[in-house]
Amino acid sequence: MHNRWFVRGALTLALADILLIALGVRAGFPKLMVWLPAVGGPVLAVAAFRGAAALTEGALRTFWRRVSYGMGAVAAAAVSQTVDVGTTEYSGMPPIGARTLLLYVIGTILAISAMLRLPGGGRSWRQLTTAVLDVAVVAVAAGIASSQYVGWFIDRFGVTASAWWLNIAMMAIAVAGVVVVVKIMAASRSPVPRAALWWLAPVGLCGPLSTVLMSVLSPWPHLNGSAAVLPFVGLFGVLAARAQVRHLGVLPRSRRAAASRRGTAIPLVATGLTSLLLVTVFVRTGHLTVVQVGGTTLLLLLVVARQAVALAENAALLDTVANQAMHDDLTGLANRRFFADAVAGARTVVLIDLKEFRALNDGLGPDVGDALLVAYGARLSALARSADERAVVARLGGDEFGVLLSAEPDAGQGDFAGRLLAAADEPLQAAGHEVLVDVFVGVAEGDFADLYRRAELALRAAVASGGRLVRYDASLERRLSRRATIAADLRRALTAGEFHMLYQPIVELPHGRMVAVESLIRWTRSDGTVVPPADFVPVAEDTGLIVELGAWIIDTVCAQAAAWRRAHGPDALRSVAVNVSARQLLDPGLPDLVAAALARHGVPASQLTVEITETAVFGGGRALATVTALSELGVAIALDDFGTGHSSLGLLRTCPVDAIKVDKSFVDGLGGTPQQEAIVTALTGIAETMGLRTVAEGVETAAQARRLYELGYRHAQGFLFARPLPAGEIDAMLDRLHLAA
């Protein structure tokens, strides 16, 4: 806010100065009046510089402090010149004492020192050569202009000692302006914003301009050339400080942009102004001096050399940009664009996706994630070059990589995918961490125009199936086409009512009495075609429709549980189980949805069991929070297919589990060796100790049922007792149980 007031004050003083000069050529007034804005302008600039220094730090703060010292000397010189004018009678050139000239020179030297000590940053040799030539062009142009200025000064003010001292002071101020311009051209990464430097540049013109105005205003003794320019010195200084303050918090331009826009116009403008000056001199005098002719020749040679170097620099820059456009910034590998263009010459396309990279990146941090990508890119390059020296290795985006192999399969690349999988067993070094990274791999081989698309299909199939390696074949295309068809039909099927629920009994051992049921969704199209759950459930999860489908399942199961309670009593079934996917657990609204369904149908929460997989909650986070919220509703939680996912006994402590369902693969080992029965035996002991119910899944023989009972299992489920049944058949079984009781 204070910076804005500085600008308004400096602008007011500059306008007042113009008004005083306009009035002074028509009427006289006290000669000290014009010095009020002349002193006020530099004083405001000093205050603005100090304010900019207070808001910055490091090299910026040092720079603005140094510039404020220089402007402070100029302000003191203005006060000193005011005293000279007020205490001396004069006609012609206004008096300027030695003290005043010394203060102007000191201020100029301090300003030049601040500029020269401002860091400028590094650059390439071409950029440095261009900058040197730019400086030379400006210096020669300034020299030609100075020679003309000196000649005019001598003709007008003579060669007295005071005139020479005045000329030295004014030339020093002009040099300060040239130094600012040179600094702007030479600095590739100056901490001071360019706008601030450009506002400081015109200050250098104010010195010579003041002597010109001295001559122009000499008929009016109450006016003064120095007083006429000093308010503008202050205004330019205040505007420079304002540019610095406004720049704070703004991201700097890219180095490349700064280099390319560094100002090819500066030497051209300097050359153009010099040419205009020489034309004016020639028109007025009819000749040019030796200095002017020689300087002009040198100037033209410098401009030609500068443009030649600039063209070479631009060509190198274009090569760099073209290279960067085809390569990944992080790893230095080829990027997707280059990869897609190079596929035409490949015999084999291999696409790789890093397993669980997002979890690693979130857990270890983005710096480690970036280091891991670089390390894997180096590993992949080494493997690919060993298989094919002409191999193209690319990072296609995120954690996806690609390899193009051009040699025939029997020339060494046939086992490339196998070596790629084997390498995943070796840890990578990433920012001080040893990380094991497994991969999904999709491979397409042959002489086909669409190898890239085929490899993408193979990779997609590998990710979807959880397998490590998938090679493209025609059956894959058919499966993916079927998957796409299922995805397109899912929502229509839900709207059309093509889904229905089956219920598989859970029995109590040893007598086999039904005590609970597990609900299972089925899809039968209107034409009678049955779509297996293994086909449509993963697609529903991938498309996100599982959330809407899951809401329908929960409502349908709660409605059916309420119907059984009304028909057979509240104790007919202890529990009705419903499966909930990992994607549903990421929905924070799931607990409210379950609570609403239970309340709508009048089913107590204790009669509903939510079955989840270990993998869904292994990582904790939002999924585990959702399970905890469901448990707090009073809903029972069961771990389904226990032992086949990310099995961890610690999960039984952190997750609010009420029951574990032992997977069929362990039940199949019953009756074999002790090693085969070990897990089933151990689980029942752990569950009993922790107060958990156990349910053995996939029981198909009476021998398995007997052995489970001997091991302590009291609940089982499987084809031995019943296959999944419609709700009506569960009703019939409940009726028979009631009659038997």
Side-chain angles (χ1 to χ4, degrees), residues 6-17:
F6 286 151
V7 173
R8 291 176 180 175
L11 186 59
T12 300
L13 292 176
L15 293 175
D17 182 66

Side-chain angles (χ1 to χ4, degrees), residues 506-698:
I506 298 172
V507 304
E508 192 172 53
L509 298 177
H511 44 68
R513 184 172 65 89
M514 180 176 63
V515 293
V517 293
E518 177 186 355
S519 58
L520 301 166
I521 188 169
R522 295 293 184 263
W523 179 8
T524 303
R525 286 196 171 103
S526 56
D527 61 0
T529 304
V530 175
V531 183
D535 287 350
F536 72 81
V537 171
V539 177
E541 291 185 346
D542 290 344
T543 60
L545 191 64
I546 192 67
V547 174
E548 187 175 343
L549 184 59
W552 177 84
I553 292 172
I554 291 169
D555 186 74
T556 302
V557 170
C558 288
Q560 185 58 60
W564 283 328
R565 284 174 60 84
R566 289 192 299 270
H568 307 286
D571 299 324
L573 288 173
R574 297 176 191 170
S575 172
V576 178
V578 61
N579 289 279
V580 171
S581 73
R583 174 64 181 82
Q584 288 174 274
L585 292 178
L586 295 178
D587 180 9
L590 180 63
D592 291 337
L593 186 145
V594 172
L598 291 170
R600 183 163 52 250
H601 298 291
V603 177
S606 60
Q607 197 170 2
L608 181 68
T609 296
V610 170
E611 293 191 6
I612 60 175
T613 62
E614 301 160 280
T615 305
V617 291
F618 184 77
R622 184 185 297 175
L624 183 56
T626 301
V627 173
T628 302
L630 289 169
S631 179
E632 290 172 353
L633 288 177
V635 171
I637 305 297
L639 279 181
D640 196 15
D641 301 329
F642 190 79
T644 61
H646 293 291
S647 300
S648 170
L649 295 179
L651 189 62
L652 300 178
R653 279 191 306 107
T654 58
C655 187
V657 178
D658 300 287
I660 55 176
K661 302 187 73 174
V662 182
D663 188 69
K664 180 181 185 299
S665 59
F666 300 115
V667 174
D668 289 342
L670 293 174
T673 65
Q675 290 83 357
Q676 290 175 313
E677 290 190 348
I679 293 179
V680 178
T681 305
L683 285 178
T684 185
I686 293 171
E688 183 177 355
T689 302
M690 300 186 70
L692 305 177
R693 289 184 291 107
T694 53
V695 179
E697 296 185 293

Side-chain angles (χ1 to χ4, degrees), residues 4-91:
R4 187 180 303 169
W5 285 109
F6 286 151
V7 173
R8 291 176 180 175
L11 186 59
T12 300
L13 292 176
L15 293 175
D17 182 66
I18 295 173
L19 181 60
L20 286 172
I21 293 174
L23 293 175
V25 298
R26 291 179 172 79
F29 48 71
K31 56 187 176 183
L32 293 182
M33 282 187 64
V34 295
W35 287 96
L36 294 176
V39 173
V43 169
L44 277 178
V46 171
F49 291 162
R50 300 297 293 182
L55 295 174
T56 53
E57 56 186 22
L60 271 177
R61 174 173 293 184
T62 302
F63 170 78
W64 287 109
R65 282 179 175 173
R66 288 170 178 167
V67 175
S68 72
Y69 299 150
M71 186 60 73
V74 172
V79 174
S80 177
Q81 192 170 359
T82 303
V83 174
D84 293 340
V85 171
T87 58
T88 306
E89 295 295 330
Y90 62 90
S91 61

Side-chain angles (χ1 to χ4, degrees), residues 275-576:
S275 301
L276 181 62
L277 172 64
L278 294 177
V279 169
T280 303
V281 170
F282 185 78
V283 169
R284 292 183 61 184
T285 64
H287 69 280
L288 297 175
T289 66
V290 174
V291 173
Q292 291 167 342
V293 173
T296 303
T297 303
L298 179 59
L299 187 65
L300 292 175
L301 291 175
L302 288 172
V303 170
V304 170
R306 190 252 180 239
Q307 294 305 107
V309 175
L311 288 175
E313 178 188 351
N314 289 340
L317 182 61
L318 288 175
D319 290 341
T320 301
V321 170
N323 182 67
Q324 290 177 342
M326 291 296 183
H327 288 78
D328 175 56
D329 290 337
L330 178 63
T331 62
L333 301 175
N335 61 13
R336 184 180 291 274
R337 178 184 299 176
F338 186 95
F339 191 82
D341 290 343
V343 165
R347 292 276 305 174
T348 302
V349 178
V350 182
L351 299 182
I352 304 103
D353 192 86
L354 306 189
K355 281 187 180 181
E356 298 182 358
F357 173 77
R358 180 175 297 178
L360 289 170
N361 191 65
D362 292 342
L364 299 177
D367 291 339
V368 178
D370 288 348
L372 181 60
L373 292 174
V374 173
Y376 188 78
R379 168 184 286 180
L380 188 60
S381 296
L383 288 171
R385 299 289 187 269
S386 66
D388 180 1
E389 292 183 355
R390 294 176 296 171
V392 175
V393 182
R395 180 186 174 213
L396 305 179
D399 60 337
E400 185 179 345
F401 293 82
V403 178
L404 300 179
L405 301 172
S406 57
E408 294 294 331
D410 59 358
Q413 71 186 41
D415 62 343
F416 172 71
R419 284 186 283 129
L420 193 62
L421 295 178
D425 296 331
E426 295 294 326
L428 287 169
Q429 296 293 330
H433 294 264
E434 280 197 351
V435 185
L436 276 172
V437 180
D438 204 354
V439 292
F440 297 110
V441 181
V443 179
E445 297 174 333
D447 193 11
F448 300 102
D450 59 347
L451 272 184
Y452 193 177
R453 183 188 68 83
R454 295 182 176 209
E456 284 184 318
L457 294 178
L459 178 62
R460 196 185 311 164
V463 173
S465 65
R468 300 181 73 193
L469 171 64
V470 173
R471 296 181 184 274
Y472 176 87
D473 59 28
S475 65
L476 175 63
E477 191 96 44
R478 289 192 297 270
R479 291 198 304 270
L480 290 174
S481 176
R482 174 176 170 78
R483 186 181 178 90
T485 302
I486 290 173
D489 285 351
L490 268 173
R491 187 172 297 279
R492 180 199 57 76
L494 182 59
T495 304
E498 293 181 358
F499 292 103
H500 61 279
M501 302 303 299
L502 298 180
Y503 301 89
Q504 186 171 28
I506 298 172
V507 304
E508 192 172 53
L509 298 177
H511 44 68
R513 184 172 65 89
M514 180 176 63
V515 293
V517 293
E518 177 186 355
S519 58
L520 301 166
I521 188 169
R522 295 293 184 263
W523 179 8
T524 303
R525 286 196 171 103
S526 56
D527 61 0
T529 304
V530 175
V531 183
D535 287 350
F536 72 81
V537 171
V539 177
E541 291 185 346
D542 290 344
T543 60
L545 191 64
I546 192 67
V547 174
E548 187 175 343
L549 184 59
W552 177 84
I553 292 172
I554 291 169
D555 186 74
T556 302
V557 170
C558 288
Q560 185 58 60
W564 283 328
R565 284 174 60 84
R566 289 192 299 270
H568 307 286
D571 299 324
L573 288 173
R574 297 176 191 170
S575 172
V576 178

Side-chain angles (χ1 to χ4, degrees), residues 11-225:
L11 186 59
T12 300
L13 292 176
L15 293 175
D17 182 66
I18 295 173
L19 181 60
L20 286 172
I21 293 174
L23 293 175
V25 298
R26 291 179 172 79
F29 48 71
K31 56 187 176 183
L32 293 182
M33 282 187 64
V34 295
W35 287 96
L36 294 176
V39 173
V43 169
L44 277 178
V46 171
F49 291 162
R50 300 297 293 182
L55 295 174
T56 53
E57 56 186 22
L60 271 177
R61 174 173 293 184
T62 302
F63 170 78
W64 287 109
R65 282 179 175 173
R66 288 170 178 167
V67 175
S68 72
Y69 299 150
M71 186 60 73
V74 172
V79 174
S80 177
Q81 192 170 359
T82 303
V83 174
D84 293 340
V85 171
T87 58
T88 306
E89 295 295 330
Y90 62 90
S91 61
M93 186 179 75
I96 302 180
R99 178 187 66 246
T100 302
L101 291 174
L102 181 61
L103 287 171
Y104 277 130
V105 171
I106 290 174
T108 302
I109 292 174
L110 289 174
I112 292 175
S113 174
M115 287 292 172
L116 293 178
R117 297 172 73 177
L118 183 66
R123 53 179 62 246
S124 68
W125 71 267
R126 287 192 181 91
Q127 292 172 332
L128 184 61
T129 303
T130 304
V132 170
L133 290 172
D134 283 349
V135 171
V137 169
V138 173
V140 171
I144 296 172
S146 297
S147 68
Q148 183 64 28
Y149 170 77
V150 170
W152 172 85
F153 186 91
I154 293 174
D155 290 341
R156 182 66 185 82
F157 297 104
V159 292
T160 63
S162 60
W164 271 113
W165 279 110
L166 175 62
N167 192 30
I168 290 173
M170 296 304 103
M171 292 300 292
I173 295 173
V175 168
V178 173
V179 169
V180 175
V181 174
V182 168
K183 196 65 180 181
I184 293 171
M185 293 188 299
S188 63
R189 296 195 300 271
S190 171
V192 180
R194 283 175 170 264
L197 293 176
W198 278 122
W199 280 119
L200 291 175
V203 174
L205 299 176
C206 292
L209 181 61
S210 68
T211 60
V212 175
L213 290 176
M214 282 183 187
S215 175
V216 173
L217 299 176
S218 58
W220 301 278
H222 52 285
L223 300 179
N224 189 288

